[in-house]
Structures are given as structure tokens and as C-alpha cells.
Amino acid sequence: KTAMQIVEIMKVMEARHPVVMATRVSAEKSAEIQAALPQATYFEMARICAIQPSVPLAIRPGKLSVLTAGTADLPVAEEAAVTAELCGFQVTRLWDVGVAGIHRLLSNRHVIDQSDVLIVAAGMEGALPSVVAGLADCPVVAVPTSVGYGASFNGLAPLLTMLNSCATGIG
């Protein structure tokens, strides 16, 4: 969509909903959108342009945590985290805790134990969601990313790993 198409959609939605989001928005488009809608906020890492209510939404119950295997997974994970926050959830972020440095994940075990839902983004071979689901007693949302080198096949390898996981509670 063009920036002006997004502006028109956001105007219509703003009249009906307290939170309006446009995802996968470039910095250039966000500048055009914010020129037309100064109340819009741009979340650069998440690539989200959003209109938020002047009074924050009530905090929703539950603890949601978003984890990434590596720093290359950050844009996808941050998109999930910002979306959840805009919907009123408290979010804990745990970045760069992949299986290549499993000690980083294990030293943050308390985050897993205190969460009601975990969103886990991983590229490369996509092993992190299975490891996390093996440690967690809550639902794990596995999110494959298209980053990585070698044989990740633009996200196909992590997707297949996540689909074939034998850990319970993973989706």
C-alpha cells in the first residue's frame, strides 16, 4: 500500500477502534503517514506505525514473553512484542538466547517459568522454540524467520524444524 492509502485506512479505523496499526511500514512511509496523522507513532525496529488511545488500555492479565535466537530475528520478534503491548499486554523481551549459546537461555530460566505465553522467533535451523517448549509449562508460539546462512532456505528450514517439533505445547 502507498502511504496515503495507509493514512486513509487508519483514519477510518481510528473512528472505530482505540488502537490502529499498520505493519511492515518503512521509515520513509512512516514519515509520510506521520505528516498526515501527527498522532501516529512509529516503532522503527518493529516497522509498525500505530495510533494509540490518549488513555492507555487496561493491562490485560497474564505475562507474555518474546524470545529470539539471534539478533537477526529482532525485527520479527519486536513486531510481535509491540503488537502485544499495543493490545494491552505486559511483555518481557529476551533477545539473543539461541541454542548456539544455550547458557544465555538457561541463565534466564526465570523468564520462561514466569510466563503464561512465550513467543519464540528463530531463523537458521529453528531449534530454539523446541528447546523452550521443553522447559516451559505454557504455550509456545514458534515463529520462523527467514534469516540465516547455509541451508536455512529463506526460512523453510526453521519452519520445518518447528512443524516437526516433538515438544508439547508448541504451535
Side-chain angles (χ1 to χ4, degrees), residues 6-7 9-15 17-22 33 37-43 48-54 86:
I6 295 169
V7 166
I9 292 167
M10 290 180 89
K11 282 181 182 177
V12 170
M13 291 182 73
E14 184 181 21
H17 301 284
V19 177
V20 180
M21 294 186 310
I33 294 167
L37 298 170
Q39 71 274 34
T41 302
Y42 185 59
F43 300 88
I48 291 175
C49 195
I51 297 173
Q52 304 170 67
S54 56
L86 288 170

Side-chain angles (χ1 to χ4, degrees), residues 19-33:
V19 177
V20 180
M21 294 186 310
T23 60
R24 304 294 169 107
V25 176
S26 68
E28 296 77 29
K29 276 188 188 174
S30 76
E32 291 181 60
I33 294 167

Side-chain angles (χ1 to χ4, degrees), residues 69 98-100 122-128 147 149 151-152 157-162:
V99 297
M124 296 298 291
E125 80 287 355
L128 184 62
V147 299
Y149 47 85
S152 68
L159 171 64
L160 293 174
T161 297
M162 293 171 194

